[in-house]
Amino acid sequence: MRNQFKSVLIKGRCFLYPLPVIKENKYLLEVPQDFSDIFILLFQNHFLKNPEGDWKGWQKSEVHSDGKTPIYRLDIENLSLTILSSPEDDPQKAATINELLEKKIKAVFQGMEGAKESLKKTYENQKSCSTCQRLGIASAEREKVIKAFYTIEQ
């Protein structure tokens, strides 16, 4: 599965497209421009699955002006993130943390007041938890992705 994406701005709308481009399997994902770099990080770090296998979290909205390339719009309510993988020793704890962080991230995507601060507080609290540390909450890639949300202007 392709996990590398590039962003492009077309007539004031921001789209992501997967790399390498495969002519028979082209599509565009419309995302808010302020979040395009974060979506790219989410895909690159496998926190967000390439939608080619499961379009949950994306709704087909239209076809590009080329008449062939489908455009999918973000469906934030159904978007599924995997910040922590489920380790064999404590899958329930990993699932609980994923659910908590996913909820906080979705609130940031939706522009809810205080959402960035809430995400930051939750993440910092989880980083100090010994179980969460064992599950890899403070890894460099997770830190990079979560901290990218702190810089978003809303």
Side-chain angles (χ1 to χ4, degrees):
M1 276 275 167
R2 299 177 284 177
N3 286 337
Q4 300 300 314
F5 285 78
K6 283 258 193 184
S7 65
V8 62
L9 198 58
I10 303 172
K11 296 182 182 175
R13 295 168 65 191
C14 186
F15 300 96
L16 302 180
Y17 61 93
L19 295 173
V21 174
I22 300 172
K23 191 174 183 177
E24 305 79 38
N25 197 13
K26 292 191 312 183
Y27 59 88
L28 295 170
L29 303 175
E30 186 171 6
V31 298
Q33 184 176 353
D34 294 345
F35 294 107
S36 64
D37 290 339
I38 290 177
F39 273 97
I40 290 170
L41 280 173
L42 290 168
F43 282 120
Q44 285 174 341
N45 290 288
H46 305 280
F47 299 153
L48 183 58
K49 292 181 182 171
N50 179 311
E52 291 172 27
D54 179 7
W55 289 96
K56 183 180 176 186
W58 303 95
Q59 293 178 343
K60 188 172 182 180
S61 62
E62 59 193 281
V63 176
H64 186 269
S65 60
D66 68 4
K68 297 178 186 175
T69 307
I71 296 175
Y72 295 87
R73 201 171 266 151
L74 179 64
D75 176 8
I76 196 67
E77 292 301 319
N78 290 312
L79 193 66
S80 178
L81 301 170
T82 305
I83 306 301
L84 287 177
S85 55
S86 295
E88 293 177 21
D89 62 334
D90 205 343
Q92 186 57 47
K93 181 69 173 180
T96 300
I97 296 166
N98 272 327
E99 189 175 312
L100 177 64
L101 289 173
E102 181 180 273
K103 182 178 177 181
K104 301 289 183 182
I105 288 170
K106 285 180 178 183
V108 175
F109 282 145
Q110 293 169 329
M112 293 181 170
E113 189 173 327
K116 285 190 323 184
E117 293 77 19
S118 181
L119 172 62
K120 183 176 184 175
K121 181 179 177 184
T122 299
Y123 180 67
E124 295 302 323
N125 287 341
Q126 297 304 315
K127 278 182 20 180
S128 64
C129 166
S130 61
T131 302
C132 298
Q133 289 172 4
R134 187 174 39 78
L135 295 171
I137 192 76
S139 71
E141 65 267 1
R142 283 176 190 80
E143 185 105 4
K144 181 178 181 180
V145 170
I146 297 296
K147 285 189 173 183
F149 283 95
Y150 302 172
T151 64
I152 296 299
E153 295 294 325
Q154 291 187 308

